[in-house]
Amino acid sequence: MTDTTPAGALLAPAKPAIKPARPYFSSGPCAKPPGWSPARLGTESLGRSHRAQLGKARLQYCIDLMRELLALPETHRIGIVPGSDTGAFEMAMWTMLGARPVTTLAWESFGEGWVTDAVKQLKLEPTVIRADYGELPDLAQVDWSSDVLFTWNGTTSGVRVPDGEWIAADREGLSFADATSAVFAYDIPWDKVDVATFSWQKVLGGEGGHGVLILGPRAVERLESHAPAWPLPKVFRLTKAGKLVEGVFKGETINTPSMLAVEDAIWALEWAKGLGGLEGLQARSNANAAALDRIVEERDWLGHLAADPASRSKTSVCLTVEGADADFIKKLAALLEAEGAAYDIAGYRDAPPGLRIWCGATVDTADIDALGPWFDWAYESVKSA
Ligand SMILES: Cc1ncc(COP(=O)(O)O)c(C=O)c1O
């Protein structure tokens, strides 16, 4: 047979035979835990008052499970608040900032969002320490006599702080960690964290809507001794007559929670406990990140946006694609979505064009492994189109 392919034309490789069984790679809301089904959720607390004995017991159980799985010391309080991670972090900013100078760290979009809040909304004049997408700022520059705001894992660049060593043990200011893509994936040294926030929608594969607020003793001291210069809406108020509202940390939520989201979180937490807890979750995330790294290593057209492996995320892993602009990435991601091979893998809208693959614990490693041939197929297909 005569080959009629024009010289120089590229042939896309054959479509791979094996698809990821669960092609859910979004960086939030993230894949549900394996085996999850709405039919498996507890529903007895639905259609009832969340302040009835049952509702309160389920909220408290959820809090207890989170404490256990995070290995949170007794020194720290943990509560469920409105507004997902954003609500929890803003609640902390609005209630505690203004007492001393502020430093904000930003190396991607979410950290930059907290800078905007501090500058434009709270009219603070923070010291801002920035780095470009893919890099971490110089953490040694941080002045711990100020309150310090940072993102433990920058979800839009795939860059995280490597550990808590850089946080001064004798700090005068408070450390505020937006830890939404970090908790349940890394060891968090709680003695270095005064405030941490997260949402169930990330590593647990739970629902958005609610945030989780963790307060160390020095944060409580701040709340009880500092009255912000600005008004506080009801959903942000954590003190009454100068005293912490302890009910928030016992399941007495400020306003009405979604008990369905709470039941969903309980299911995910029980799944996590069944894996061996924090270690089990971390092992899954590490295995996923390692599997994705193998795929990257095998292809010279794929790279990591986070140059330094020590600060490379194990959850929101961001990849560079040689020669790809935003349009190329859009087409590649759309192609994989249309095939049911990978959902939601285009990088964040403000980040440099690239791919972002969630490697948190709810993703199965076999599904990451299956992505390699699909990347090849989609890359060549878009290039030759
Ligand atoms: C680091 C970080 N902070 C904040 C948010 C906002 O989270 P939420 O939508 O749960 O408020 C996200 C979501 O992706 C995030 O990754």
Side-chain angles (χ1 to χ4, degrees):
M1 235 172 101
T2 318
D3 183 357
T4 53
T5 308
L10 288 168
L11 278 182
K15 217 185 265 184
I18 302 171
K19 278 183 201 171
R22 295 191 308 138
Y24 299 95
F25 302 106
S26 155
S27 291
C30 302
K32 290 295 192 190
W36 178 91
S37 141
R40 299 182 75 177
L41 304 184
T43 52
E44 296 81 2
S45 66
L46 307 190
R48 300 272 323 264
S49 166
H50 60 291
R51 308 218 187 264
Q53 208 182 5
L54 176 63
K56 270 166 76 171
R58 295 302 279 172
L59 284 156
Q60 183 67 60
Y61 178 51
C62 183
I63 288 173
D64 291 345
L65 280 173
M66 290 192 288
R67 175 179 290 284
E68 183 184 343
L69 279 153
L70 290 169
L72 195 67
E74 286 302 322
T75 48
H76 285 56
R77 288 169 174 83
I78 176 165
I80 298 166
V81 298
S84 217
D85 178 64
T86 309
F89 203 76
E90 293 201 330
M91 186 179 211
M93 290 180 71
W94 258 253
T95 52
M96 284 177 257
L97 294 183
R100 53 170 58 240
V102 177
T103 300
T104 51
L105 302 178
W107 57 90
E108 51 81 65
S109 181
F110 286 106
E112 202 56 60
W114 307 137
V115 175
T116 303
D117 273 17
V119 174
K120 297 218 168 123
Q121 299 299 322
L122 298 180
K123 317 273 189 230
L124 298 167
E125 289 173 1
T127 302
V128 184
I129 305 178
R130 288 193 169 89
D132 276 344
Y133 278 88
E135 283 165 29
L136 198 60
D138 178 8
L139 301 175
Q141 277 183 39
V142 173
D143 173 1
W144 284 103
S145 67
S146 62
D147 290 334
V148 179
L149 274 53
F150 69 101
T151 303
W152 200 284
N153 181 96
T155 319
T156 67
S157 73
V159 174
R160 64 174 169 115
V161 295
D163 49 42
E165 290 298 307
W166 60 285
I167 303 172
D170 61 351
R171 62 196 174 282
E172 293 166 60
L174 300 178
S175 59
F176 290 70
D178 169 0
T180 197
S181 299
V183 284
F184 304 111
Y186 312 128
D187 286 323
I188 309 279
W190 292 111
D191 58 330
K192 297 285 186 78
V193 175
D194 299 307
V195 178
T197 63
F198 69 92
S199 166
W200 300 320
Q201 58 134 331
K202 299 284 185 183
V203 181
L204 290 176
E207 293 298 300
H210 289 292
V212 178
L213 177 68
I214 294 174
L215 299 179
R218 298 180 60 245
V220 175
E221 218 176 274
R222 172 72 60 83
L223 282 167
E224 293 187 333
S225 62
H226 166 71
W230 41 78
L232 285 178
K234 180 177 174 179
V235 287
F236 279 5
R237 293 203 288 266
L238 286 167
T239 55
K240 200 168 176 187
K243 281 275 155 220
L244 185 73
V245 179
E246 294 283 359
V248 170
F249 307 95
K250 294 181 186 149
E252 291 161 20
T253 50
I254 294 174
N255 60 331
T256 311
S258 160
M259 290 309 292
L260 188 54
V262 171
E263 292 295 346
D264 184 78
I266 288 175
W267 197 90
L269 288 158
E270 287 179 338
W271 164 78
K273 208 173 155 177
L275 291 176
L278 188 57
E279 264 182 42
L281 292 170
Q282 289 179 352
R284 283 177 63 89
S285 193
N286 290 344
N288 288 341
L292 186 58
D293 194 37
R294 282 194 295 277
I295 291 174
V296 174
E297 289 300 311
E298 285 162 10
R299 287 156 182 81
D300 55 9
W301 54 272
L302 272 179
H304 284 285
L305 182 59
D308 180 0
S311 55
R312 187 177 295 154
S313 176
K314 308 257 186 186
T315 56
S316 60
V317 183
C318 295
L319 305 180
T320 57
V321 178
E322 195 178 75
D325 59 10
D327 185 52
F328 188 100
I329 294 293
K330 203 169 152 191
K331 286 182 179 146
L332 188 149
L335 204 52
L336 290 172
E337 174 158 349
E339 291 293 333
Y343 299 145
D344 311 321
I345 62 165
Y348 193 71
R349 56 180 184 267
D350 298 336
L355 302 176
R356 183 172 56 157
I357 315 293
W358 185 254
C359 288
T362 55
V363 172
D364 290 311
T365 307
D367 290 340
I368 299 277
D369 285 332
L371 280 176
W374 283 98
F375 284 167
D376 296 335
W377 172 77
Y379 179 66
E380 293 302 337
S381 300
V382 177
K383 247 171 69 168
S384 58

